């Protein structure tokens, strides 16, 4: 989108997505797309992030239940063309779209491997397919069929044959009516497929009657919300995009009058748009747009459509009060101290809570009334001292949206937030883990209200203001509205939490964890930059060595190893490692990690390429990035722990993302060596749950054999291998144990026979026998898997031991691939989610006990199933005792929980 908008400067734009679940084509043909591989997990995880980015870019996301994105595009293009006033461009390389091309609707085909853009109008489509009108593309596709969508077509007739038939007889119907003129095997093939031919045409036809209206105002290009984009890009470490946003924009030199600066910025932007309007662009003509019906996601805040569709500050009665005098501040503090519960929000100079400055605070006690309290630097300390009693009052409950951020900001000034915490972001996360938890999104969805866009205050682009440069009179409504909306969201969401029976889950796990994470983030972790510098030299030298080995094996020193196109041609055309190599939609060979792993053992170059990529990723993500993340004030790295990011309930981390540090390879272990204790008198202590997910499976399935193995403290993988093979524990080979270990963990993720065979590199028959042997041994596990799938199909969700829900929208899908993924999630979610809940409870218990005993030690990290603590040498034994006691007794399962504890000068030694 960025490149397209920058290059072509369209007046309107929108992005279409396929909605979750089946569509009308599945009703016509149950096997539609049934042969398509399951969507890679990376894409599933990335899609919500992509939508967040689009929202921040103010680009509408369009989805209509029951229809594919193709149908939405087709309908909008046809309605736009019918007006005679628009020329629409469909940005796609998919041949199916050729059927939609007309004088007012064209295909904008991105070139392969950067070879340039192709524009296909009527003439180009007809020339490419050898037909007289674009709609005949449907007939070609119907006869040819589509393997990826599982459209049957005519078996044995390919693209050339289908094109020839349509060129001669005009359509599928023409072919059927003229069968007597077709001879030989071609006629026989058509006759054998007659029953499916008309169905194939219906499946291949892009619908033009999706129930939505055409309104071009809905897709007017709007300035992006750069503040939100920065937040998203930083969270996911998109450094290239951050650079393009000009991340230093927040820190430009102050201007004397913030209001004037904003006015100048607005004028500058307007002038820029006028200048651009004179430039020649492919999209000079108006482009198709769409109206958003109830079935389509709404456009992001700030669009003209939202001002009509949602309530705003302009049309809702409200009372937002600025607090200026000491008397007014005293009144406010008394009001808050007397209130049982109130909402608050901070306004700061940046999104980094440990480096920003506090500009002011807003408070709300009742809906539609809120207070704005500026904190100018000259009086900030004095004001916060007066606010301390209200924040540190245990009897006052506090409401916030991502309240951990506000707590960290206030902690910079010695203010601790106490009392029960209601975080609307986390409450919504418990209600809908895979939804969007931003305040703006929830306000629109639950309150029908569109909050003030941040650009109204700080502008945009290279002249974007810092919040401290915006006059208090302008900030007031924006800031007060945040507190007001947060309060109203709490009042709306809290009854929903009670209805879902998730109040206890929030109160016992998520709420106390907020303070734990706040403390952990504030403490941070020490990084040995010298060690990383040496590691960088070693790894860069290794990269050069591997590059030379690859050039030798390829017999080509000119190949660009970082080019997927050149790599694909090398592997599949020159070396011919797979005659049936898969290609992307752009016609380029797939060379992703999964593809390369499937080629292991076929040529030594594959191992070298995988190692090369692994080192490059390690360098860019950790070795070179970690020193840049060190806070100059603390000389430590402060990762952010995300409490509402994963569907399973597990914590994630960002800036840096510590969850993905490879620990099996030597290079990855060296990264852990760089996480060190503060000084010679301190150490790192790490406590890791042993096989917690398998223990939870034993508890949930109540399988006697699995339970007994853990009760007897056997090596579970060796025990499984011995029982499947019918040998003693001492007779189990390393290979047998490896296979049993893969089966043990694979089964709880719903692994298939094919998946296990791929992972173990064994024939499917052997994998099938291994799975059968596993279920003979652990019959209770098989029963659990069937039971949980059936329960999910009946209720639409599964739950952890503690009642955390995972909703499964596709569990009853008619699409076998989609349904299969949902079934695997149904099996695994209670296990992963329960493990996450247990770990959170352990963190809370360990943190509380360290505080209770008034120890110096600090919890600094939580990664996977591991808690990491930094402590003085003098406290090592007491900390080990706390970890053993609290972690193993946090819950009573049918099997014992056990941990491994290590101590060292760095994380690697402790692990």
């Amino acid at each position: 989108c960025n490149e397209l908008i920058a290059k072509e400067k369209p007046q309107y734009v929108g992005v279409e997505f396929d909605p979750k679940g089946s569509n009308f084509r599945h009703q016509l043909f149950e096997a539609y797309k049934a042969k398509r591989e399951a969507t890679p997990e990376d894409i599933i995880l990335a899609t919500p992030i992509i939508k967040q980015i689009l929202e921040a870019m103010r680009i509408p996301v369009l989805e209509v239940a029951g229809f594919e994105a193709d149908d939405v595009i087709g309908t909008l293009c046809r309605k736009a063309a019918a007006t005679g006033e628009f020329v629409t461009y469909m940005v796609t390389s998919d041949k199916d779209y050729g059927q939609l091309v007309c004088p007012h609707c064209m295909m904008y085909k991105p070139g392969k491997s950067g070879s340039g853009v192709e524009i296909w109008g009527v003439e180009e489509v007809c020339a490419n397919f050898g037909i007289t009108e674009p709609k005949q593309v449907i007939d070609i596709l119907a006869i040819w069929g589509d393997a990826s969508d599982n459209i049957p077509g005519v078996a044995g007739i390919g693209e050339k044959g289908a094109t020839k038939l349509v060129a001669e007889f005009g359509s599928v119907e023409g072919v059927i009516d003229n069968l007597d003129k077709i001879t030989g095997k071609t006629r026989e093939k058509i006759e054998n497929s007659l029953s499916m031919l008309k169905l194939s045409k219906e499946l291949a036809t892009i619908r033009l009657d999706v129930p939505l209206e055409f309104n071009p105002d809905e897709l007017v290009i709007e300035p992006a919300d750069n503040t939100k984009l920065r937040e998203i890009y930083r969270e996911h470490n998109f450094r290239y995009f951050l650079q393009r946003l000009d991340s230093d924009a927040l820190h430009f030199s102050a201007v004397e009058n913030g209001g004037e600066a904003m006015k100048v910025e607005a004028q500058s932007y307007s002038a820029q748009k006028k200048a651009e309007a004179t430039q020649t662009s492919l999209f000079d003509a108006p482009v198709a747009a769409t109206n958003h019906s109830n079935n389509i996601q709404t456009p992001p805040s700030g669009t003209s459509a939202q001002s009509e569709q949602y309530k705003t500050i302009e049309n809702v009665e409200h009372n937002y009060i600025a607090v200026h005098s000491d008397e007014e501040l005293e009144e406010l503090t008394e009001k808050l101290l007397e209130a049982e519960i109130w909402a608050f929000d901070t306004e700061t100079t940046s999104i980094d809570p440990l480096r920003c400055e506090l500009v002011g605070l807003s408070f709300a006690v009742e809906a539609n009334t809120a207070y704005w309290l500026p904190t100018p630097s000259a009086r900030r300390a004095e004001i916060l001292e007066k606010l301390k009693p209200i924040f540190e009052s245990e009897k006052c409950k506090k409401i916030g949206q991502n309240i951990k951020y506000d707590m960290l900001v206030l902690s910079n000034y010695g203010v601790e937030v106490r009392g029960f915490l209601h975080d609307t972001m986390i409450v919504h996360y418990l209600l809908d883990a895979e939804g969007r938890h931003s305040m703006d999104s929830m306000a629109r969805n639950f309150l029908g209200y569109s909050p003030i866009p941040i650009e109204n205050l700080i502008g945009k682009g290279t002249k974007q203001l810092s919040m401290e440069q915006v006059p208090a009179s302008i900030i007031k409504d924006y800031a007060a509205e945040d507190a007001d909306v947060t309060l109203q969201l709490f009042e709306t969401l809290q009854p929903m939490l009670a209805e879902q029976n998730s109040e206890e889950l929030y109160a016992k796990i998520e709420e106390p964890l907020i303070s734990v994470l706040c403390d952990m983030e504030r403490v941070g972790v020490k990084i040995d930059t010298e060690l990383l510098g040496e590691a960088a030299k070693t790894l860069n030298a290794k990269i050069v060595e591997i590059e030379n080995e690859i050039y030798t094996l390829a017999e080509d020193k000119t190949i660009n190893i970082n080019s997927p196109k050149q790599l694909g041609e090398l592997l599949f055309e020159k070396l011919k490692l797979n005659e049936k190599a898969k290609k992307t939609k752009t016609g380029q060979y797939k060379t992703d990690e999964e593809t390369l792993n499937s080629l292991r053992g076929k040529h030594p170059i594959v191992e070298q390429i995988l190692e090369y990529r692994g080192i490059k990723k390690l360098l860019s993500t950790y070795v070179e990035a970690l020193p840049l993340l060190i806070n100059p004030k603390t000389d430590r790295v402060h990762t952010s722990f995300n409490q509402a990011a994963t569907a399973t309930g597990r914590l994630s981390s960002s800036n840096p993302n510590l969850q993905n540090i490879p620990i099996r390879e030597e290079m990855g272990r060296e990264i852990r060596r760089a996480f060190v204790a503060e000084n010679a008198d301190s150490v790192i202590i790490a406590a890791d749950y042993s096989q917690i997910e398998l223990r939870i499976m034993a508890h949930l399935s109540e399988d006697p054999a699995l339970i007994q193995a853990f009760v007897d403290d056997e090596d579970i993988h060796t025990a499984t291998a011995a029982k499947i093979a019918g040998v003693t524990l001492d007779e189990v080979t390393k290979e047998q144990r490896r296979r049993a270990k893969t089966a043990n963990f694979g089964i709880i993720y719903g692994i298939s026979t094919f998946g296990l065979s791929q992972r173990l590199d064994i024939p499917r028959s052997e994998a099938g026998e291994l799975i059968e042997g596993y279920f003979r041994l652990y019959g209770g596990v098989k029963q659990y898997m069937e039971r949980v799938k059936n329960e999910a199909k009946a209720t639409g969700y599964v739950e952890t031991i503690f009642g955390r829900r995972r909703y499964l929208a596709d569990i009853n899908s008619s699409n076998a691939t989609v349904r299969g993924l949902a079934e695997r999630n149904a099996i695994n979610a209670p296990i992963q989610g329960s493990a996450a809940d247990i770990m959170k409870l352990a963190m809370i218990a360990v943190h509380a006990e360290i505080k209770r005993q008034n120890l110096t030690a600090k919890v600094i990290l939580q990664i996977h199933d591991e808690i990491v603590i930094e402590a003085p040498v003098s406290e090592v034994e007491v900390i080990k005792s706390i970890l053993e006691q609290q972690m193993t007794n946090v819950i009573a399962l049918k099997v014992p929980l056990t941990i491994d504890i290590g101590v060292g000068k760095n994380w690697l030694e402790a692990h």
Side-chain angles (χ1 to χ4, degrees), residues 26-27 59 77 432 459 622 704 869:
H26 294 104
Q27 296 170 10
I59 295 176
C77 288
D432 179 13
Y622 297 109
I869 291 175

Side-chain angles (χ1 to χ4, degrees), residues 401-578:
Q401 165 72 16
N402 188 16
I403 202 169
K404 173 162 63 72
Y405 174 88
D406 304 301
M407 293 167 67
L408 282 166
V409 170
L410 290 171
S411 71
N412 293 334
Y413 303 97
V415 178
E416 186 177 349
V417 180
R418 296 176 185 156
F420 194 86
L421 308 172
H422 290 280
D423 191 326
T424 48
M425 178 184 73
I426 299 171
V427 169
H428 184 254
Y429 169 68
L430 293 182
L431 294 170
D432 179 13
E434 296 178 79
R436 287 185 288 181
H437 316 301
S438 70
M439 189 196 77
D440 286 4
S441 176
M442 290 191 290
R444 292 193 290 268
N445 290 337
F446 294 100
L447 306 178
Y449 184 90
S450 182
I452 301 170
I454 184 66
E455 289 86 357
N456 288 14
L457 279 76
I458 64 173
K460 50 202 170 289
T462 56
K463 293 185 178 180
Q464 188 178 67
L465 299 174
S466 168
M467 189 65 86
E468 65 184 343
Q469 295 171 282
V470 181
S473 59
I474 297 176
I475 295 179
K476 184 196 74 175
D477 282 354
Y478 173 86
E481 182 190 64
D482 278 357
D484 180 21
V485 168
T486 299
L487 176 69
Q488 292 186 52
L489 282 172
F490 163 75
E491 292 172 344
T492 302
L493 296 174
Q494 198 63 24
M496 298 169 66
L497 194 69
E499 186 179 343
Q500 186 177 279
N501 296 318
S502 296
E503 285 182 305
E504 186 176 4
L505 174 64
Y506 180 83
K508 290 191 174 180
I509 297 180
E510 299 296 352
E511 192 276 340
L513 185 66
I514 297 170
S515 298
V516 176
L517 296 180
C518 190
D519 284 353
M520 289 168 62
E521 290 184 22
R522 171 149 288 285
V523 172
V525 61
K526 183 78 172 177
I527 300 293
D528 186 336
T529 54
E530 289 186 13
L531 188 149
L532 287 177
E534 291 301 316
K537 292 178 185 177
T538 302
L539 292 176
N540 278 307
K542 183 66 176 177
I543 283 177
V544 173
E545 181 185 323
I546 295 173
E547 281 176 340
N548 290 328
E549 290 178 7
I550 290 173
Y551 294 149
T552 301
L553 291 167
E555 298 179 352
D556 183 355
K557 292 188 176 181
T558 65
I559 186 171
N560 181 357
I561 303 169
N562 298 309
S563 166
K565 181 178 184 295
Q566 292 186 35
L567 207 57
E569 290 170 353
L570 168 67
L571 296 174
F572 304 116
E573 292 182 6
K574 182 177 180 179
L575 299 179
K576 301 187 184 303
L577 299 188
N578 186 352

Side-chain angles (χ1 to χ4, degrees), residues 708-739:
Q708 194 60 48
F710 281 119
V711 169
D712 293 342
D713 197 25
E714 295 178 342
D715 179 298
I716 190 64
H717 307 311
T718 302
T720 299
K723 289 167 185 174
I724 290 176
V727 298
T728 65
L729 294 174
D730 294 339
E731 294 173 318
V732 172
T733 65
K734 287 184 178 180
E735 178 59 22
Q736 286 175 323
R737 186 185 184 279
R738 182 180 77 89
R739 291 188 179 189

Side-chain angles (χ1 to χ4, degrees), residues 526-640:
K526 183 78 172 177
I527 300 293
D528 186 336
T529 54
E530 289 186 13
L531 188 149
L532 287 177
E534 291 301 316
K537 292 178 185 177
T538 302
L539 292 176
N540 278 307
K542 183 66 176 177
I543 283 177
V544 173
E545 181 185 323
I546 295 173
E547 281 176 340
N548 290 328
E549 290 178 7
I550 290 173
Y551 294 149
T552 301
L553 291 167
E555 298 179 352
D556 183 355
K557 292 188 176 181
T558 65
I559 186 171
N560 181 357
I561 303 169
N562 298 309
S563 166
K565 181 178 184 295
Q566 292 186 35
L567 207 57
E569 290 170 353
L570 168 67
L571 296 174
F572 304 116
E573 292 182 6
K574 182 177 180 179
L575 299 179
K576 301 187 184 303
L577 299 188
N578 186 352
E579 297 293 337
K580 298 181 180 180
K582 294 179 181 178
K583 293 186 177 182
T584 65
K585 287 186 177 181
T586 61
Q588 187 172 288
Y589 289 109
K590 286 188 175 183
T591 58
D592 56 1
E593 188 174 357
E594 183 181 354
T595 299
L596 291 177
N597 277 318
S598 70
L599 298 173
R600 284 182 184 272
K602 293 189 175 183
H603 195 286
I605 201 170
V606 176
E607 294 288 345
Q608 296 295 331
I609 294 169
L610 283 167
E611 187 175 4
Y612 174 86
R613 285 187 177 178
I615 294 174
K616 291 276 283 188
K617 183 177 180 180
L618 206 61
L619 268 169
S620 62
T621 308
Y622 297 109
V623 176
E624 295 172 343
L626 282 172
L628 302 178
L629 294 173
I630 294 174
N631 186 319
K633 292 181 181 178
T634 63
D635 200 30
R636 294 166 78 93
V637 168
H638 302 265
T639 188
S640 295

Side-chain angles (χ1 to χ4, degrees), residues 119-345:
I119 306 299
W120 278 18
V122 173
E123 185 177 340
E124 287 79 10
V125 171
C126 291
N128 184 74
F129 285 98
I131 50 182
T132 58
E133 54 182 335
K135 71 177 184 180
Q136 289 176 306
V137 170
I138 301 171
D139 301 281
I140 292 174
L141 294 172
I143 297 170
W144 177 13
D146 189 327
S148 65
D149 287 349
N150 202 30
I151 297 176
V154 176
I157 296 182
E159 181 180 8
K160 289 183 179 178
T163 301
K164 184 178 179 182
L165 286 167
V166 173
E168 185 173 356
F169 301 108
S171 65
V172 165
E173 291 76 10
V175 171
I176 295 172
D177 291 341
N178 291 280
L179 268 177
D180 58 332
K181 297 178 183 178
I182 302 172
T183 59
K185 290 188 176 181
T186 300
R187 176 174 176 172
E188 182 181 335
K189 291 173 183 175
I190 295 170
E191 287 177 335
N192 290 338
S193 301
L194 274 179
S195 62
M196 299 297 287
L197 196 47
K198 288 187 177 180
L199 173 63
S200 294
K201 183 169 182 177
E202 193 169 359
L203 293 171
T205 301
I206 294 175
R207 289 277 289 271
L208 307 176
D209 59 349
V210 175
L212 69 160
E213 296 300 319
F214 172 65
N215 185 340
D217 289 341
E218 302 281 346
L219 294 182
V220 173
I221 288 285
E222 295 278 348
D225 185 339
N226 288 340
T227 300
K228 286 186 179 178
L229 280 175
R230 283 190 183 90
E231 184 176 352
I232 296 167
Y233 292 163
R234 283 172 178 156
E235 178 182 351
H236 299 288
N237 201 26
F238 294 163
R239 289 183 295 160
Y240 172 73
F241 293 125
L242 270 173
Q243 289 172 359
R244 290 187 60 168
L245 264 183
D246 187 2
S247 60
D248 291 330
L250 281 173
H251 306 293
F252 76 104
S253 58
V255 294
E256 292 183 5
N257 187 310
E260 276 301 303
M262 290 172 62
K263 185 176 178 182
V264 170
E265 161 60 14
Q267 291 172 343
S268 172
Y269 180 74
S270 176
Q272 177 189 359
K273 295 298 287 184
K274 281 185 179 179
E276 290 175 351
T278 65
Q279 299 174 9
T280 303
S281 166
L282 173 66
F283 286 97
D284 279 343
V287 187
T290 179
N291 181 45
H292 298 272
S293 71
N294 291 335
N295 293 324
I296 307 179
Q297 290 194 18
T298 53
S301 63
T303 65
S304 59
Q306 283 196 320
S307 63
E308 298 172 6
Q309 186 172 354
Y310 297 104
K311 295 177 290 184
T312 69
I313 195 170
E314 301 297 331
N315 53 37
V316 171
E317 188 175 340
H318 61 277
N319 182 25
Y320 292 164
I321 304 159
V323 177
H324 293 301
S325 68
D326 288 341
E327 292 77 13
E328 290 169 337
L329 176 56
E330 188 175 344
E331 267 184 50
L332 176 60
T333 54
E334 287 178 3
K335 186 180 185 71
L336 295 173
L337 277 171
E338 291 171 3
E340 181 185 348
I341 186 168
W342 40 266
F344 80 100
D345 185 48

